[in-house]
Amino acid sequence: MSNNNFRGILNSMGLVFGDIGTSPIYTLTVIFLLTRPTYTHVIGVLSLIIWTLIILVTLEYAWLAMSLGKKGEGGTIVLKELLLPLLKSGRSVAFVTLLAYIGTSFLMGDGVITPAISILSAVEGLRIIPEFENIGQGVIVLIAGAIAIALFSIQSKGIEKITWVFGPIMVLWFAAIAFSGIASIFYTPAVLKAINPYYAISFLMDTGITGFFVLSEVILCATGGEALYADMGHLGREPILKAWRFVFIALVLNYLGQGAFLIRNPDSRNVLFEMINQQANLIYIPFLILSIAATIIASQAMISGMFSIVYQGITTRVMPMLKIDYTSGVLKSQIYISTVNWLLLIAVLFMMLLFKESSNLAAAYGLAVTGTMSITGILMTSIFYYRKHMTKAVISLFITFIDLVFLLSNSYKIPHGGYWSIIIALFIFSLIIIYTSGQKKLYELMKLMKGEEFLEKYNQLYATQNKITGTALFFTRDIDKVPQYISHVMFKNNIIYENNIFISIIKSDSPFGVESSFTKELAKGLRVFEIKMGYMEIVDVEQILKDEGIYEKTIFYGVEDIFTNNLIWKIFSIIKKVSPSFVQFYRLPTDELHGVMTRFEM
């Protein structure tokens, strides 16, 4: 195996598999709060876990979804971008767009619960140390909260300096849980028959409605599976797939080992930690520290993922612009969005204080995950169908059906705290809907001047008016529809420069790639400069202009002042006020900026 290959696999271990890799800390413990740990039940549940990992993670994400990346990036927004060009009617476009928004909202709802449940469940392992067995839940929450605060506080510094340790720590974690699993299987080898799907099916047949609800906790073993696809842009497809083989084997061995331990110790309250403690009391504390480190890494992956999703949302104009800091000189994909960071921290702490125990949090967890998986399934099946990949479409349809069964079984969690997943997702979804509808409405209200009419007036003015020396830049999306603020500057205030350049930033359909050039000279002293960028690209507009030899004296841009009595548009107006303007987002030099305000009544 080449060095690069090895490094790619190591990085994937640290950045992609934290969430799914720390699921063994709580999954079995939570499942057996719902059902008695009899021999047949344990075998049945283990079989369900193994086949959930095979169908929902290996088939749905590792095989199907990852075959769909364009240049190796993934996520719900990408599936939407892939599917839209294949659709014929406007109705289906609207439906798919809506589905993608719901999927994105669910994924972000998931992002709040992941750090809370994984850090809490690891800290709860303290109780197995004799000196700490009577430690109160309040203290546990306090320690977990402190870890979360520390983790979110270092985000702005950029984490590339420490990410190199993530991979080795996770490799150590997977090795530890695999070995402890093997050691436990050794005493109860009968658990190996759980690999046969017959036991999963017969468990569901025998237990009826209880078994159906048990599925809602079984899904916990696959949480974080969506990260395989969502993180593809950072790491590429190959290293993630190769790393998944190791991770899959380690997880299966550990779950089988925990099941074997549970058959021998049916009274166990915290299966993984008690198993380790019984196997090797000496290394229990180092293992506990390792598990806390692994959950911190899992949470870190989720935070980076959230930044990625929000950035995709901003560039595809689904979310308002937010201030973005680049934390790495080398890796363009390493960004920090302070608004997202602090809101996420508040939400995580709120979840910890509200639910107090990881088993309570598990009651709310899973709804968002199965929601995301079902939407991914629907979008994927449609893409395969329209591309005439019928075998994949049929398999994808079957998997989507299983996703929906899991989603249905999770619906019983709604009254037990699952409604928080829905509240968080609804909050994000309404922001997306208000923002996109507001932008659309605003665009309709803009009195855009037709290209020909503008040029006629411009030529007249340029020929007769005294010109200011230097270059002025104006931002406009389309040359045929000139924004109001440009005509205000030129025709109302008679401000005209010797050189006027219209800058047009266009988002291309592919995720990566930046091209820029002067496209045409519209009239004397008026040229168009176009920047085409992929929707995942992070660009430095000022640098691009400098490289082209554009040294501007002034940059004009439009500012919308919204006047309204409508509650929804009031919220939209607040979003517009608090989010940075287009020029701040692209970090253009502040001393050259001139905002031109236009009032709109909505």
Side-chain angles (χ1 to χ4, degrees):
M1 189 183 292
S2 74
N3 202 9
N4 268 358
N5 233 341
F6 178 70
R7 188 169 300 136
I9 292 173
L10 204 60
N11 288 344
S12 308
M13 292 276 197
L15 292 173
V16 181
F17 296 108
D19 186 1
I20 198 166
T22 48
S23 298
I25 298 177
Y26 47 82
T27 302
L28 271 184
T29 300
V30 170
I31 291 175
F32 286 102
L33 291 174
L34 274 185
T35 181
R36 284 179 317 150
T38 60
Y39 176 77
T40 44
H41 281 188
V42 171
I43 300 287
V45 165
L46 289 177
S47 189
L48 279 172
I49 287 177
I50 293 168
W51 283 93
T52 301
L53 288 173
I54 290 173
I55 295 171
L56 297 193
V57 185
T58 309
L59 291 181
E60 178 166 5
Y61 284 102
W63 178 49
L64 292 175
M66 289 180 82
S67 68
L68 284 176
K70 279 190 168 173
K71 271 201 194 163
E73 75 311 332
T76 325
I77 291 180
V78 174
L79 288 175
K80 174 190 81 138
E81 298 279 328
L82 287 170
L83 184 52
L84 291 186
L86 302 170
L87 300 172
K88 305 288 184 286
S89 76
R91 241 193 212 148
S92 40
V93 168
F95 176 67
V96 166
T97 307
L98 199 65
L99 261 190
Y101 292 168
I102 296 170
T104 306
S105 311
F106 265 142
L107 199 60
M108 293 178 79
D110 191 24
V112 171
I113 302 180
T114 299
I117 191 170
S118 43
I119 296 172
L120 255 180
S121 60
V123 176
E124 282 167 359
L126 278 171
R127 290 220 172 100
I128 289 162
I129 303 168
E131 294 78 20
F132 293 113
E133 61 187 331
N134 298 320
I135 192 170
Q137 195 59 34
V139 180
I140 297 254
V141 172
L142 207 66
I143 298 170
I147 291 173
I149 292 170
L151 175 66
F152 281 92
S153 304
I154 60 164
Q155 296 301 319
S156 58
K157 309 278 181 289
I159 46 123
E160 68 164 333
K161 293 173 194 67
I162 51 169
T163 45
W164 65 272
V165 299
F166 287 4
I169 290 174
M170 289 311 291
V171 169
L172 195 60
W173 166 254
F174 287 119
I177 62 171
F179 279 119
S180 74
I182 292 168
S184 177
I185 295 168
F186 188 73
Y187 293 103
T188 318
V191 290
L192 290 170
K193 62 182 186 187
I195 295 167
N196 184 342
Y198 162 78
Y199 293 99
I201 296 161
S202 69
F203 171 79
L204 290 176
M205 296 295 190
D206 298 344
T207 49
I209 194 78
T210 322
F212 180 65
F213 290 138
V214 166
L215 281 180
S216 70
E217 306 297 8
V218 167
I219 193 64
L220 295 176
C221 75
T223 55
E226 66 281 1
L228 268 79
Y229 181 47
D231 287 333
M232 222 161 70
H234 299 301
L235 299 155
R237 182 165 173 244
E238 283 310 305
I240 295 180
L241 288 181
K242 284 179 178 152
W244 170 241
R245 288 175 205 159
F246 294 115
V247 173
F248 174 73
I249 292 166
L251 290 175
V252 168
L253 286 171
N254 186 261
Y255 282 122
L256 287 171
Q258 284 193 46
F261 177 79
L262 202 56
I263 289 170
R264 300 192 300 273
N265 306 274
D267 299 332
S268 177
R269 281 282 149 267
N270 193 332
V271 190
L272 178 68
F273 289 126
E274 286 177 28
M275 174 169 93
I276 301 284
N277 191 36
Q278 195 187 75
Q279 284 171 346
N281 180 263
L282 273 178
I283 60 158
Y284 179 72
I285 292 174
F287 179 80
L288 180 65
I289 294 166
L290 177 65
S291 72
I292 292 173
T295 55
I296 290 172
I297 291 170
S299 310
Q300 175 58 55
M302 197 71 215
I303 298 166
S304 304
M306 291 292 255
F307 292 159
S308 251
I309 293 169
V310 172
Y311 187 78
Q312 273 184 35
I314 293 171
T315 56
T316 48
R317 304 204 173 103
V318 169
M319 292 176 192
M321 296 198 162
L322 296 167
K323 183 172 174 289
I324 288 178
D325 294 306
Y326 307 113
T327 56
S328 159
V330 194
L331 276 176
K332 272 288 180 69
S333 59
Q334 295 228 332
I335 52 174
Y336 167 71
I337 308 175
S338 64
T339 321
V340 176
N341 191 56
W342 299 118
L343 283 176
L344 198 55
L345 172 63
I346 292 165
V348 167
L349 293 175
F350 173 71
M351 284 294 183
M352 284 178 174
L353 290 167
L354 182 79
F355 287 97
K356 294 189 174 61
E357 290 181 29
S358 64
S359 55
N360 297 344
L361 256 170
Y365 199 28
L367 201 64
V369 182
T370 45
T372 311
M373 287 179 168
S374 304
I375 288 170
T376 300
I378 294 168
L379 295 178
M380 256 179 6
T381 308
S382 316
I383 293 170
F384 289 131
Y385 172 75
Y386 282 112
R387 286 187 177 173
K388 307 273 188 290
H389 295 171
M390 287 312 167
T391 319
K392 280 186 176 175
V394 171
I395 297 169
S396 183
L397 188 65
F398 164 70
I399 292 171
T400 307
F401 169 71
I402 291 176
D403 284 330
L404 291 168
V405 170
F406 272 109
L407 180 62
L408 262 177
S409 84
N410 268 282
S411 61
Y412 108 97
K413 287 182 170 181
I414 295 173
H416 304 286
Y419 57 87
W420 278 107
S421 285
I422 296 176
I423 290 171
I424 298 165
L426 257 177
F427 172 72
I428 294 158
F429 181 69
S430 11
L431 274 184
I432 293 177
I433 293 295
I434 291 171
Y435 180 72
T436 47
S437 327
Q439 287 288 73
K440 201 173 160 190
K441 175 87 175 147
L442 195 59
Y443 192 71
E444 284 163 12
L445 290 173
M446 285 183 181
K447 297 186 181 81
L448 299 166
M449 195 182 262
K450 286 207 172 101
E452 302 95 61
E453 190 190 337
F454 172 81
L455 283 176
E456 202 175 307
K457 281 190 161 180
Y458 169 85
N459 285 328
Q460 216 173 337
L461 190 71
Y462 196 83
T464 55
Q465 197 68 28
N466 286 335
K467 288 170 279 297
I468 302 166
T469 50
T471 301
L473 305 183
F474 299 87
F475 283 89
T476 173
R477 260 186 228 176
D478 190 351
I479 318 306
D480 301 324
K481 298 186 183 94
V482 180
Q484 239 157 328
Y485 84 90
I486 299 181
S487 36
H488 268 272
V489 170
M490 291 186 177
F491 312 138
K492 270 214 170 136
N493 303 328
N494 286 348
I495 296 172
I496 193 145
Y497 278 72
E498 274 178 355
N499 282 313
N500 302 279
I501 301 176
F502 281 1
I503 309 273
S504 173
I505 297 181
I506 300 165
K507 177 191 68 92
S508 65
D509 283 343
S510 56
F512 298 106
V514 180
E515 291 169 14
S516 60
S517 60
F518 277 106
T519 52
K520 52 188 158 194
E521 189 159 343
L522 292 175
K524 196 172 180 206
L526 179 61
R527 290 184 295 166
V528 178
F529 184 72
E530 215 170 70
I531 300 173
K532 271 194 172 158
M533 55 176 273
Y535 55 87
M536 302 270 289
E537 277 293 353
I538 292 166
V539 293
D540 184 341
V541 173
E542 198 187 346
Q543 194 54 52
I544 293 175
L545 297 177
K546 278 205 177 106
D547 292 344
E548 281 291 337
I550 300 171
Y551 293 96
E552 70 288 335
K553 201 171 188 178
T554 314
I555 300 171
F556 290 104
Y557 66 100
V559 181
E560 296 97 7
D561 181 30
I562 298 162
F563 178 72
T564 180
N565 292 320
N566 177 317
L567 177 67
I568 303 254
W569 297 145
K570 270 189 176 150
I571 297 171
F572 174 67
S573 147
I574 293 167
I575 294 174
K576 290 289 276 186
K577 278 198 181 81
V578 297
S579 55
S581 71
F582 173 83
V583 283
Q584 285 166 309
F585 178 76
Y586 284 116
R587 300 167 103 177
L588 295 163
T590 40
D591 50 347
E592 297 168 4
L593 296 176
H594 287 273
V596 182
M597 191 172 280
T598 314
R599 277 204 99 168
F600 292 98
E601 200 160 323
M602 281 174 88

